[in-house]
């Protein structure tokens, strides 16, 4: 079930349809999970085939477009950097943050529980944050106002559904009531993305909600 | 009528002519094929004509100047162009959302799927990807195409096809499951 939701998210990622926080989370997950990277790569190839065979829509300004291209300077490109493997934070996340784990400005929320709010979008109500829990720390029982994606970056946590380890994504929604507990061996570090309920009525999130069967 | 494989080879050869000789006729053929299709896809994404055509122009400009970066062993030309268009579309949304007024253009990223460069040899990977795609029943992939590539909601697809909404959802889910199974084994092959 979780895999189906995850694949729906990966397909939205490949199509370029995810809001920025979810895009960063899925890109980070893909970096850590080769099986999901292959899934994304396959959907990209499928998109390529679909494009090759797609319907056409004539350009209003086709000739001018050709002329512009012939006169254009060579575009500036950012090329793929070889990814460094020793980082705890995936490159997609470091690129978004602009800093690495050592520089996260943590705030203590409860003993043994730290949070850094990366962004809180007042327009769409979405939240993106890093969470750190010491080994064995339980989060208070909670429900969710909207879709909650949690990517485990280090360590692991468990709730009544099972254990989530490095690279795993937990998908939770309004119907889930859970009490996550960090694993005993090491601290648990997670990236959390929350979609407030109001967002689900918008067109983009309506589509996501539709795909995820919400 | 060219087979799919021949068509892919022809596009790759045209891209090589653009890269090696800046062959305008070769570019014209690629432009005539891909520009109206990219335009259609961007239109399906909900972009107004002017913005869609601006992105088409940006994508084809990359092809004209930087065709040498395209590697036919890593993907088909259409997948490469799709990726550039997708990334350009994301950049456009980002610019509109942050209402960037400093006029600084973000650099265009021509990136592979993250982490991909460490996995398998590209030919081996491409073969695996293509084989997996051929194993999915056509009626399932058509629904995935409508939803993921063309951006129709599941309810819209149900209305168009006359299939019950539950059937649309379950066929799309099955298509993903089949793909996962067909690709299985890659976790073992990667470092
Ligand atoms: Zn939760
Ligand atoms: Zn089946």
């Amino acid at each position: 079930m979780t895999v189906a939701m995850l694949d729906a998210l990966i397909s939205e990622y490949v199509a370029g349809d995810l809001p920025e926080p979810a895009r960063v989370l899925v890109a980070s997950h893909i970096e850590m999970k080769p099986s999901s990277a292959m899934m994304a790569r396959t959907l990209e190839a499928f998109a390529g085939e679909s494009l090759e065979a797609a319907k056409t829509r004539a350009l209003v300004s086709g000739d001018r477009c050709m002329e512009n291209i012939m006169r254009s300077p060579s575009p500036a490109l950012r090329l793929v950097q070889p990814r460094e493997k020793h980082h705890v934070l995936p490159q997609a996340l470091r690129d978004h943050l602009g800093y690495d784990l050592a520089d996260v400005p943590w705030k203590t929320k409860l003993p043994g529980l730290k949070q850094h709010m990366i962004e809180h979008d007042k327009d769409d109500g979405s939240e993106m944050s890093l969470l750190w829990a010491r080994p064995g720390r339980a989060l208070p029982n909670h429900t969710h106002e909207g879709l909650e994606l949690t990517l485990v970056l280090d360590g692991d946590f468990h709730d009544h559904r099972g254990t989530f380890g490095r690279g795993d994504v937990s998908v939770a929604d309004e119907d889930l009531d859970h009490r996550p507990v960090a694993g005993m061996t090491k601290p648990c570090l997670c990236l959390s993305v929350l979609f407030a309920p109001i967002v689900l009525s918008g067109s983009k999130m309506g589509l996501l909600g539709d795909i995820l069967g919400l | 009528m060219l087979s799919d494989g021949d068509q892919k080879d022809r596009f790759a050869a045209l891209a090589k002519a653009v890269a090696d000789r800046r062959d305008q006729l070769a570019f014209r053929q690629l432009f005539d094929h891909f520009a109206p299709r990219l335009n259609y896809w961007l239109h399906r994404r909900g972009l107004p004509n002017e913005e869609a055509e601006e992105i088409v122009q940006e994508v084809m400009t990359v092809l004209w100047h930087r065709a040498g970066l395209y590697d036919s062993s890593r993907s088909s030309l259409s997948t490469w162009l799709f990726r550039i268009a997708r990334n350009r579309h994301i950049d456009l949304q980002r610019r509109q959302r942050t209402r960037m007024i400093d006029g600084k253009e973000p650099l265009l990223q021509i990136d592979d799927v993250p982490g991909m460069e460490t996995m398998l040899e590209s030919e081996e990977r491409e073969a695996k990807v293509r084989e997996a795609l051929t194993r999915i029943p056509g009626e399932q992939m058509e629904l995935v195409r409508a939803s993921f590539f063309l951006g129709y909601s599941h309810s819209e697809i149900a209305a168009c096809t006359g299939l019950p909404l539950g059937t649309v959802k379950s066929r799309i889910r099955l298509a993903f499951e089949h793909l996962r199974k067909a690709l299985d084994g890659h976790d073992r092959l990667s470092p």
Side-chain angles (χ1 to χ4, degrees):
Chain A
M1 172 209 79
T2 307
V3 171
M5 286 178 167
L6 194 57
D7 285 341
L9 280 170
I10 290 172
S11 76
E12 295 280 279
Y13 167 81
V14 171
D17 264 348
L18 289 176
E20 189 67 1
R23 189 192 68 73
V24 172
L25 184 141
V26 174
S28 300
H29 161 75
I30 285 172
E31 250 183 77
M32 291 186 277
K33 287 280 179 184
S35 57
S36 288
M38 271 309 275
M39 187 70 183
R41 187 65 195 75
T42 305
L43 288 168
E44 247 188 17
F46 182 62
E49 281 179 17
S50 300
L51 178 67
E52 205 170 302
K55 286 187 195 162
T56 58
R57 183 176 169 85
L59 276 72
V60 176
S61 55
D63 291 338
R64 189 151 45 83
C65 185
M66 260 311 256
E67 283 165 29
N68 289 343
I69 292 169
M70 292 300 141
R71 282 202 316 255
S72 65
S74 187
L77 302 176
R78 183 153 50 101
L79 297 172
V80 188
Q81 302 295 317
R83 297 196 199 300
E84 302 167 74
K85 283 285 168 193
H86 61 276
H87 291 267
V88 171
L89 302 186
Q91 183 161 322
L93 181 55
R94 277 182 285 130
D95 284 350
H96 184 79
L97 294 172
Y99 49 78
D100 207 344
L101 189 54
D103 299 315
V104 175
W106 293 108
K107 283 198 174 121
T108 299
K109 306 301 280 186
L110 291 166
L113 184 69
K114 296 185 287 187
Q115 185 193 33
H116 166 53
M117 182 66 74
I118 299 165
E119 57 197 55
H120 179 183
D121 189 319
K122 281 170 213 72
D123 291 340
D124 66 11
S126 66
E127 276 184 24
M128 181 185 202
S129 64
L130 282 167
L131 290 166
W132 180 98
R134 71 160 185 242
R137 183 73 171 90
L139 263 69
N141 225 80
H142 65 276
T143 53
H144 308 87
E145 289 184 4
L147 192 64
E148 174 197 69
L149 306 175
T150 310
L151 170 67
V152 180
L153 299 165
D154 201 21
D156 60 74
F157 79 84
H158 57 272
D159 60 20
H160 65 279
R161 297 168 299 167
T163 300
F164 296 83
R166 176 168 163 82
D168 290 337
V169 178
S170 147
V171 183
D173 63 15
E174 295 91 331
D175 299 329
L176 183 81
D177 182 339
H178 69 158
R179 181 173 174 273
V181 182
M184 290 308 293
T185 49
K186 63 195 293 202
C188 181
L189 178 68
C190 292
L191 174 66
S192 160
V193 171
L194 286 172
F195 303 87
I198 190 164
V199 184
L200 289 167
S201 60
S203 61
K204 275 278 158 50
M205 295 320 300
L207 185 60
L208 182 63
D210 195 49
I211 282 181
L212 297 182
L214 298 175
Chain B
M1 182 78 188
L2 292 170
S3 79
D4 272 7
D6 290 344
Q7 174 103 313
K8 282 190 173 61
D9 291 346
R10 188 173 74 92
F11 291 141
L14 290 169
K16 192 167 181 335
V18 173
D20 294 350
R21 305 190 299 275
R22 295 184 62 84
D23 184 329
Q24 291 203 21
L25 284 174
F27 179 74
R28 182 85 226 188
Q29 289 183 64
L30 291 172
F31 183 91
D32 286 347
H33 185 84
F34 285 107
R37 286 169 173 83
L38 287 165
N39 196 36
Y40 175 73
W41 180 70
L42 291 160
H43 170 69
R44 280 296 322 159
R45 297 282 107 186
L47 285 187
N49 279 343
E50 204 176 309
E51 287 177 8
E53 294 194 16
E54 192 184 313
I55 292 182
V56 172
Q57 183 177 310
E58 286 174 338
V59 175
M60 298 313 286
T61 300
V62 172
L63 177 65
W64 174 238
H65 289 284
R66 310 303 289 270
L69 293 172
Y70 165 64
D71 176 352
S72 62
S73 74
R74 293 176 71 88
S75 68
S76 69
L77 183 66
S78 57
T79 300
W80 192 72
L81 294 172
F82 168 80
R83 186 185 300 142
I84 296 171
R86 189 260 329 269
N87 291 354
R88 236 358 184 187
H89 182 213
I90 292 173
D91 280 343
L92 178 74
Q93 288 171 312
R94 206 177 276 148
R95 266 176 284 163
Q96 287 174 340
R97 201 184 50 246
T98 58
R99 293 175 192 86
M100 274 171 38
I101 45 164
D102 59 2
K104 236 181 17 195
E105 282 285 304
L107 294 183
L108 175 58
Q109 185 157 16
I110 304 188
D111 204 346
D112 214 332
V113 167
M116 201 77 253
E117 68 277 8
T118 60
M119 290 177 58
L120 302 173
E121 288 301 313
S122 46
E123 284 91 350
E124 194 186 340
R125 195 183 67 214
E126 270 303 289
K128 193 95 185 171
V129 161
R130 280 188 200 185
E131 200 208 316
L133 284 173
T134 61
R135 285 206 237 149
I136 316 308
E139 93 269 4
Q140 290 174 11
M141 282 322 266
E142 279 316 309
L143 297 186
V144 172
R145 195 195 310 277
S147 147
F148 136 84
F149 183 73
L150 297 173
Y152 290 103
S153 74
H154 289 183
S155 341
E156 285 172 318
I157 296 171
C160 288
T161 58
L163 292 168
L165 184 59
T167 307
V168 171
K169 287 181 193 292
S170 64
R171 279 200 192 158
I172 290 175
R173 198 175 56 238
L174 276 175
F176 288 147
E177 273 172 29
H178 284 188
L179 274 183
R180 282 263 174 193
K181 275 186 204 140
L183 294 167
D184 214 14
H186 275 263
D187 280 348
R188 272 177 281 124
L189 289 168
S190 62

